[in-house]
Amino acid sequence: MANNLLGCESGRSSILANDKNMDAKSIFEAARKNDKVAKEAVETLYHTLGKSLAQIACVCNPQVFVIGGGMSKEGDVLIEGVKKILSTLQFSCLEEHLFQNSEIGKMMRESLERRR
């Protein structure tokens, strides 16, 4: 996503321009430093994820959404951004949904560290 934003306009500068290992962590870090491209990428993520979860909520009506992977490390920042988008959508199925960050990755890292 950020790569697309960097390439879509010539002359756009970003902290991410020379980041060969760009991932969610580096994009969120750049956004916290007010990097315009990174902030736009994060907003696009919120919109895409929010709309996708809204569709899932209307079809499946889950009791909870569990967010995992690298993005889950952003915790409340990610969840609040997605909730903001969900609140703008006018679907009756979008009552308050519970969001939870996955703890599996954290538990696996701790288990591996104990084995060392």
Side-chain angles (χ1 to χ4, degrees):
M1 186 179 329
N3 279 328
N4 290 342
L5 292 171
L6 282 169
C8 69
E9 272 182 41
S10 62
R12 284 189 93 171
S13 62
S14 171
I15 297 168
L16 302 169
N18 297 319
D19 189 346
K20 299 200 185 320
N21 299 315
M22 191 183 321
D23 59 5
K25 179 182 177 183
S26 61
I27 294 170
F28 275 94
E29 284 176 4
R32 280 191 286 277
K33 294 176 182 175
N34 280 329
D35 183 285
K36 289 181 182 181
V37 172
K39 288 174 83 171
E40 190 175 336
V42 169
E43 284 299 317
T44 300
L45 168 70
Y46 293 157
H47 281 276
T48 303
L49 190 55
K51 287 180 180 180
S52 298
L53 292 177
Q55 292 170 354
I56 292 169
C58 289
V59 173
C60 301
N61 193 25
Q63 292 181 351
V64 64
F65 287 109
V66 177
I67 308 294
M71 290 186 302
S72 68
K73 294 176 184 170
E74 293 304 318
D76 291 340
V77 172
L78 175 67
I79 290 172
E80 291 307 314
V82 171
K83 280 184 171 182
K84 180 180 166 186
I85 299 304
L86 287 174
S87 71
T88 66
L89 302 173
Q90 300 298 317
F91 293 110
S92 60
C93 57
L94 289 179
E95 296 173 7
E96 188 65 29
H97 279 84
L98 176 64
F99 284 82
Q100 180 68 45
N101 281 315
S102 173
E103 294 290 324
I104 293 172
K106 180 181 175 185
M107 291 182 333
M108 290 177 66
R109 281 189 301 277
E110 290 172 355
S111 176
L112 288 172
E113 288 174 6
R114 283 193 298 267
R115 291 181 182 182
R116 290 183 188 166

